[in-house]
Amino acid sequence: MIIIGVENMHNPMMIITQKITSLAYEIHDGMFRKDEELTSSQRGLAVRRMPSLLEYLSYNCNFMGILAGPLCSYRDYITFIEGRAHPRAPPGAAGKEDLPGDRAEPSPNVAVIQKLLVCGLSLFFHLTISKTLPVEYNIDERFQATASWPTKVVYLYISLLAARPKYYFAWTLADAINNAAGFGFRGYDENGTARWDLISNLRIQQIEMSTSFKMFLDNWNIQTALWLKRVCYERASLSPTIQTFILSAIWHGVYPGYYLTFLTGVLMTLAARAMRNNFRHYFLEPPQLKLLYDVLTWVVTQVAISYTVVPFVLLSVKPSFMFYSSWYYCLHVAGVLVLLLLPVNKTQRGKPTHGNVPLSPSEKCDDRGNSLEQNSFSTTNNVCNQNQEIASRHSSLKQ
């Protein structure tokens, strides 16, 4: 899980770390590497000249994202600051093209209001329901001794579900603040509606309805996932999955629970990928069988995610191992057995491996993107592709 501890005081340092490292690699790609050595996303985000001191400090310390982010690329930020973020409005209803030089100035008011409503609901749930369902109750001795296994599974899921609204609140509020300042516009959809999700950090519906580990990770803390992909996963030559998860743990802090969560996440991600590759194609037809598959994978995914992130919430070693031992390390054992017994298709990063297998609408959202569906570290591929398109547009504008 890629999570920002919103309650921690070191959040600004975490955000600035992301920005400094991102900009360093973008400058390196733009000024010290040949274009043919870069991936399409690296080429689109590359910075071709050294930023001035004012630009550098503005990018790292601007008021919109200093406390809770979200991270944005330097190119997107400078394009916004220089007033080049708003393309011409789409053709009118009658197909009439805009006049040359006519530029739309879309209002963020609707997007901001919607996000503030989400913030309000998230805060309400956090202050009411979340307090009554503590994650720590999973390791309560009386609960462990008396509760049945179905009860333990259900409470594990519900308690971790109740722990998420505080992240929904913080990330959505940060997104709304940027939108209110005019940052975050990503063009228009096919209906001509302005889209304000350029730097959005999560998609709540997709998170809660995830039917795979990848789908969950693709929609949770999106900008951090992109940062990890750009600075580590794409550049690591040996075990990029393990290196990326370890980097994520180090970036979060020194609590042992972070490392237990991310090391478990490596195992869960690899095992989930192997299961999907080996069994999914048997359940695509008929639709009733596909529905059953979706329901089963939703249950397994939600339980596996909850099981994985318990140490992240508990933080300390002893309570984390108390929880895992109360579950007899069952999902760890299952993950190891899956990797030992099932063949694992090794694919190159950046190469899609779907073939012509039909996808359901939810899986089209899950599988849209370029390279990493078959990679064990799953990042936000669909958002990355969208950012690549925007970066390419910014590049053409600069020229």
Side-chain angles (χ1 to χ4, degrees):
M1 307 305 307
I2 304 168
I3 308 170
I4 293 180
V6 296
E7 72 277 14
N8 294 334
M9 295 301 294
H10 61 273
N11 271 0
M13 189 63 68
M14 297 169 72
I15 299 299
I16 290 177
T17 298
Q18 289 183 323
K19 291 184 176 181
I20 290 175
T21 52
S22 294
L23 180 55
Y25 276 112
E26 289 164 3
I27 292 173
H28 176 72
D29 291 340
M31 299 182 64
F32 301 100
R33 296 179 67 189
K34 299 178 181 178
D35 276 0
E36 54 268 24
E37 298 174 351
L38 306 177
T39 66
S40 58
S41 62
Q42 291 169 350
R43 194 175 300 114
L45 296 173
V47 177
R48 306 293 178 178
R49 68 168 180 83
M50 192 65 67
S52 67
L53 179 61
L54 178 61
E55 290 171 331
Y56 177 78
L57 294 177
S58 175
Y59 171 64
N60 284 295
C61 302
N62 69 83
F63 74 93
M64 300 178 296
I66 188 65
L67 293 179
L71 173 69
C72 63
S73 72
Y74 177 80
R75 295 288 294 273
D76 284 336
Y77 177 74
I78 290 300
T79 298
F80 160 69
I81 289 298
E82 293 178 350
R84 296 183 285 109
H86 299 150
R88 287 186 301 174
K96 182 180 179 180
E97 297 289 342
D98 296 313
L99 295 175
D102 185 21
R103 300 174 69 85
E105 295 289 344
S107 171
N109 291 345
V110 174
V112 170
I113 291 172
Q114 291 174 342
K115 291 173 183 179
L116 290 178
L117 289 175
V118 172
C119 288
L121 288 173
S122 299
L123 184 61
F124 172 77
F125 281 116
H126 174 64
L127 295 176
T128 55
I129 299 175
S130 298
K131 299 296 184 181
T132 65
L133 297 168
V135 175
E136 291 77 8
Y137 193 63
N138 285 284
I139 58 173
D140 181 80
E141 292 183 359
R142 182 178 178 184
F143 175 74
Q144 291 180 351
T146 59
S148 63
W149 267 103
T151 302
K152 290 182 179 180
V153 173
V154 171
Y155 186 80
L156 174 67
Y157 166 69
I158 293 177
S159 63
L160 269 299
L161 175 66
R164 291 199 278 266
K166 63 180 178 181
Y167 299 103
Y168 295 165
F169 167 78
W171 288 333
T172 306
L173 180 60
D175 193 16
I177 291 171
N178 280 269
N179 292 168
F183 187 33
F185 178 67
R186 193 166 62 84
Y188 298 88
D189 62 16
E190 60 276 8
N191 298 319
T193 303
R195 303 181 63 176
W196 288 89
D197 57 353
L198 175 64
I199 55 174
S200 293
N201 228 0
L202 77 166
R203 301 183 186 90
I204 297 176
Q205 182 178 354
Q206 285 87 337
I207 288 171
E208 301 303 343
M209 299 304 295
S210 295
T211 57
S212 70
F213 227 77
K214 173 192 182 302
M215 186 176 178
F216 190 99
L217 296 178
D218 278 358
N219 294 286
W220 175 270
N221 206 349
I222 294 169
Q223 302 306 321
T224 296
L226 286 173
W227 171 69
L228 289 166
K229 171 180 177 285
R230 291 165 183 164
V231 305
C232 183
Y233 188 86
E234 289 184 338
R235 302 173 192 272
S237 57
L238 179 65
S239 302
T241 299
I242 297 175
Q243 289 192 43
T244 304
F245 273 90
I246 291 176
L247 172 61
S248 185
I250 294 172
W251 174 74
H252 278 88
V254 297
Y255 285 109
Y258 296 157
Y259 296 85
L260 288 174
T261 285
F262 289 108
L263 291 176
T264 302
V266 173
L267 177 62
M268 295 295 127
T269 302
L270 294 174
R273 175 192 171 199
M275 290 288 291
R276 181 179 175 85
N277 288 344
N278 283 278
F279 294 110
R280 177 179 167 275
H281 54 279
Y282 293 115
F283 295 89
L284 297 177
E285 295 293 343
Q288 295 82 358
L289 187 61
K290 181 64 174 62
L291 177 61
L292 176 62
Y293 173 83
D294 287 340
V295 172
L296 290 176
T297 52
W298 177 83
V299 172
V300 172
T301 297
Q302 298 300 325
V303 173
I305 290 288
S306 301
Y307 176 92
T308 299
V309 303
V310 166
F312 193 101
V313 178
L314 299 179
L315 297 177
S316 301
V317 172
K318 184 177 179 180
S320 298
F321 280 114
M322 283 179 60
F323 169 75
Y324 280 146
S325 62
S326 71
W327 277 60
Y328 303 102
Y329 298 89
C330 59
L331 294 190
H332 288 86
V333 174
V336 171
L337 291 177
V338 165
L339 295 178
L340 291 176
L341 298 177
L342 293 180
V344 177
N345 296 330
K346 294 184 178 180
T347 59
Q348 294 181 349
R349 284 173 285 167
K351 297 245 179 144
T353 56
H354 294 312
N356 296 320
V357 179
L359 302 177
S360 67
S362 63
E363 288 175 317
K364 286 179 181 177
C365 176
D366 181 20
D367 292 339
R368 190 185 306 124
N370 48 12
S371 61
L372 296 182
E373 197 284 335
Q374 298 300 331
N375 291 317
S376 40
F377 173 65
S378 305
T379 58
T380 51
N381 305 329
N382 46 356
V383 176
C384 184
N385 280 346
Q386 294 160 357
N387 286 349
Q388 289 170 18
E389 293 171 4
I390 296 164
S392 298
R393 187 184 74 231
H394 294 170
S395 179
S396 64
L397 285 171
K398 272 206 164 191
Q399 294 172 1

